[in-house]
Amino acid sequence: MPSKKALVRRPSPRLAEGLVTHIEREKVDVDLAMEQWEAYTEALRVHGWETVEVEPADDCPDSVFVEDTVVMFRNVALITRPGAESRRAETAGVEEAVAALGCSVNWVWEPGTLDGGDVLKVGDTIYVGRGGRTNAAGVQQVRAAFEPLGARVVAVPVSKVLHLKSAVTALPDGTVIGHIPKVDRPALFPRFLSVPEEAGGHVVLLGGHKLMISASAPKTAELLADLGHEPVVVDISEFEKLEGCVTCLSVRMRELYA
Ligand SMILES: NC(=O)NCCC[C@H](N)C(=O)O
């Protein structure tokens, strides 16, 4: 039985100072964000995931977006070098957490930059978004880390949104989903389904047919239910004001070797 552990990180009291790049800044309600984070982590637990909390990083406003700091492939954790300098201090605590879980740890080195939000795994294919946060050296370092383990790395241009996974994610059957106006090159994906809302392009696979999806994508949730999936809806409005999506609030680990 594969392990089902999910790394999460409690929001910083400075969350409202988080970075905003592609959208207008809106006031973040930190108390509401805390409630939404509790509900998000509870939804993971209800669906069989053991949540593992990374030591909080109270001085790092964006630290709740833990996905950006580490990329997992099998038992190997690649600690990123986030594209935004203000986020680099987030990785130390994550490194400790994955090492404590028995992962083999690897690092992205200067001049490479990589945000985990730019990495979408579909089976053994790893799509890496080359955009505002991930550079060419970062893409090459993902190749060097994971191709020897059997992955195939496919680089994908990203210009319209923060990260590759702000544009597309994948269903359990491998179909890539996204809202066309936000996807640079849908033709790069062998099977692509267009969804009616931007936030509808973001799902977290919980196991079986269950998919976590944001409350801001009701039409997509309906479309996915009609295709035989089981949407699990969570409200993450306060994180969306900071360009976060359902994927970025956790790192799911299925193949720990412990
Ligand atoms: N993977 C993600 O979707 N991460 C969201 C990061 C949002 C944060 N405010 C940032 O700009 O880095």
Side-chain angles (χ1 to χ4, degrees):
M1 173 88 174
S3 61
K4 281 180 73 174
K5 287 191 167 61
L7 285 188
V8 293
R9 198 171 210 179
R10 195 165 285 281
S12 152
R14 293 178 54 192
L15 176 71
E17 298 165 47
L19 296 172
V20 168
T21 311
H22 293 263
I23 59 175
E24 290 289 313
R25 184 173 288 281
E26 275 185 73
K27 194 170 169 9
V28 173
D29 179 336
V30 178
D31 293 334
L32 178 56
M34 197 60 219
E35 280 171 34
Q36 291 178 343
W37 182 80
E38 294 286 2
Y40 174 95
T41 56
E42 181 59 17
L44 287 172
R45 288 186 289 271
V46 164
H47 293 95
W49 293 84
E50 179 194 338
T51 52
V52 177
E53 270 197 53
V54 178
E55 189 71 26
D58 284 353
D59 285 336
C60 299
D62 283 307
S63 51
V64 68
F65 303 115
V66 65
E67 169 186 71
D68 292 322
T69 54
V70 60
V71 174
M72 294 296 305
F73 185 75
R74 309 207 195 293
N75 189 50
V76 177
L78 178 63
I79 302 294
T80 67
R81 184 166 176 268
E85 215 168 325
S86 67
R87 299 201 56 191
R88 300 228 172 114
E90 294 174 29
T91 57
V94 174
E95 185 178 322
E96 268 175 42
V98 295
L101 289 171
C103 297
S104 173
V105 181
N106 210 333
W107 295 268
V108 173
W109 303 103
E110 194 177 359
T113 64
L114 177 77
D115 275 17
D118 276 319
V119 179
L120 171 66
K121 287 178 285 178
V122 184
D124 284 345
T125 301
I126 304 183
Y127 294 99
V128 184
R130 162 69 183 98
R133 296 286 176 86
T134 294
N135 65 15
V139 177
Q140 279 167 2
Q141 292 185 39
V142 177
R143 281 199 190 103
F146 296 139
E147 287 202 336
L149 305 180
R152 190 174 50 136
V153 171
V154 178
V156 180
V158 174
S159 68
K160 303 177 180 183
V161 283
L162 184 64
H163 290 129
L164 175 65
K165 276 189 284 185
S166 320
V168 295
T169 56
L171 297 174
D173 63 12
T175 303
V176 172
I177 59 171
H179 184 52
I180 287 279
K182 298 294 175 187
V183 185
D184 282 74
R185 308 272 174 86
L188 281 176
F189 306 105
R191 213 167 43 242
F192 182 83
L193 173 70
S194 156
V195 296
E197 294 136 327
E198 181 174 347
H202 320 143
V203 292
V204 170
L205 308 187
L206 292 173
H209 301 289
K210 295 210 160 70
L211 315 168
M212 191 189 278
I213 186 165
S214 163
S216 54
K219 290 189 196 139
T220 308
E222 206 176 302
L223 168 70
L224 296 177
D226 191 52
L227 292 174
H229 301 287
E230 293 175 43
V232 172
V233 177
V234 289
D235 189 350
I236 54 159
S237 64
E238 299 317 291
F239 302 107
E240 287 172 336
K241 290 176 182 170
L242 296 165
E243 289 179 275
C245 351
V246 280
T247 56
C248 61
L249 296 172
S250 60
V251 178
R252 278 78 54 208
M253 308 169 113
R254 287 175 183 273
E255 296 181 79
L256 293 177
Y257 185 79

